[in-house]
Amino acid sequence: MLTLSKAEKTKNTKTIRQMLDYNSLSVKSKHNLLRTAAAIGIGLSVALVLILLTAKNPGQAVKYFLAAPFMSKAYFSHLIEVIIPLLFTGSAVCIMFSANQFNLGLEGSFYLGGLIAAVSGIYLVTDVPFISPLVGILLGGIVGAIITMIPALLQYKWNANVLVSSLMMNYICLYVGLFLLFHYFKDPASSQHSYPIGDAAALTSFFKGTKIHSGIIIAALVTVFSYLLLYRTKTGYSLRATGQNPIFAKYSGLNVGALAVFSQIIGGFIGGMGGAVQMLGLYERFQWVDLTNFGWDGVTIAIFAKNNPKYLPLATLFIAYFRTGAWVMSFKAGVQIDLVSVFEGIMVLFLLAERFLAGTYKKMVFEDADRKRKEREALENNMDKEGAQA
Amino acid sequence: MTGFWENLAGIFTNANFYFAVIRVTAPILFATLGCAIAEKAGSTNMGMEGIMLVSAFTGVIASAFSGSVWVGLIAALIAGVLMGLVVAYFALKLKVDIILVGIAVNLIGTGLTGFLIYVFTGDRSTTTSLQSGMLPQLNIPGLQDIPVLGSILSGHNILTYLSYIMVAIMAFLMYKTCLGLRIRAVGENPDAAASVGVGVNKTKTIALAISGLMGGFAGAFMSMAYLSYFAKGITAGRGYIALAACAMGSANPLGSMLTSILFGFFYALSTYARTLNIPDQLVTTLPYLATLVGLVIYSIKVRQNELKKLNTKE
């Protein structure tokens, strides 16, 4: 038997440990990757089967669905346009869901945020560059925050189910918004458009001929802010602790109720900002006569990003990519854009399925353990040999 | 303002108004009962909206292609049950948060029906080009001859009557049968239920299937009784309203009926209130506002009762 110095021994055990840690980590993440890939694969196959079964020219339809963003500058710019609002509502839902608050009032926040930003651009600060959009976006944020705050407070104060009351809020927001539009802001010359928003209030376009606007910078900042808030501050840690185990959080001395309300106010603020940015970036007049669905999209995005804003860029890119494809396919190949919702819904289900491919996970763990044992034995043998030689 | 009160009185003395209340309540009532039985089993059926959409669409297609509205109804019910089972499979077997399952099911339901409308009809938003039938209306002999009451209560669609009868059926199921007891036990305390040999997942699955069946009725009502065709987003948030009505009605059938009628009342009022010179859009918020206020009042009451219980215990 060899005699190793103490330093050498610790060094060896360290390398073995590191190797084990590294490998055990990789089984879990490998399995996660496999699950994600399987979820995407299932969603994609369902979408493709539906296209192949129904499209008049399936080959062309599939081509557009899978590769449209690379086919023209206009399509690529559409992809970026789609990403912007998704980053906002995605961030908002990440924050609220991290605190385990199922507030679904973002639809209303987004809608009224857009309306108030338009109003600000029409009446309040119409012609000061930089200040006009800033005021619009801040007002949008404030209104958005109020919309999600109401259900949050109702829950905090009287334990009224936040899920249900926030759903009702969405409809109230829509109809109040429509009332304001049709009774105060509508241009008499138009059937459903408001008076024009001041030019200076609009977010500037970056590239001639595309609609990519400076809102993307704000969206990026908001995403970074959400990440820092959730993962780099004490408040964020408390929020996540509240979300994961409210009882534990309570007994650790956290003010669980206040944190829950706080998360929803921030979420609503971001959602309202998103509506404002969308309005000032893409429209010359307010013209939304229905909820935009970006609030629900936020939930989808947050699920793809596992409630971590760090993954939002990837998640929004992924969703926006196929939405652009479906959009192009709808007018080029006559397959309804709604197909993409089916695709997303199926992926959401399988991404979330904790027990999906559980059997495979077990197998992977066993295989991994087996391999590790062999490696360790080999390593020890080698060391023995080296020791013997020395 | 006298005009306002006179017009309001005019609405409330109009038999047609009450007929409308009964009619618009029906789909919400079905959906609310569906949410209620799922809730009693401890599962929030957030996917009601999607279930209704899929059922409504399936009903129209089956009715159009078979030529029989009854085949359509049965197809809608089967679709509803299957969707309920899908929710159960993902929530119980694959352990996905049931609210997120519901959101995904709504996403899929909206997308799939929107996509298939075009496939079946070539139209982008409705199925009016298909010859799908409408479920028959019932004129109840005897009742229809009574002056005012007859015009309010008689001549409704067969499903409208069924929705109110369903309240009694569901109450019987929940409180007078073995299955109902199991469902409530599983909802109240799954561990205790499991310890006495009740299959928790099995019971929840049955509850969700029944919930889907109710969604099937609600969907069939929308496309084969309320309207005679399927239109994109035909349910217009009734699945969410049902969730609210169920929460407010503390998930029991009678409470569900009362809250559904409350919603139906304000909904009917909003269609009639154009004469009141209040802007349309504000009137349309009434049912949602009423639901929100009702929910808060209900929650305050529940809290008070809990406090009372605590006090009497001490």
Side-chain angles (χ1 to χ4, degrees), chain B residues 4 20 49 51 72 99 110 114 128 133-134 164 174 229 246-247 249 260 288:
Chain B
F4 173 83
E49 180 86 0
I51 295 177
I99 300 212
T110 317
T128 37
M134 267 184 108
Y164 293 89
M174 279 187 204
Y229 54 86
C246 162
S260 302
Y288 304 100

Side-chain angles (χ1 to χ4, degrees), chain B residues 85-110:
Chain B
L85 290 175
V86 166
V87 173
Y89 179 75
F90 278 97
L92 305 173
K93 190 94 182 172
L94 294 184
K95 304 273 178 229
V96 186
D97 184 301
I98 193 154
I99 300 212
L100 298 179
V101 177
I103 292 176
V105 162
N106 293 339
L107 193 61
I108 295 172
T110 317

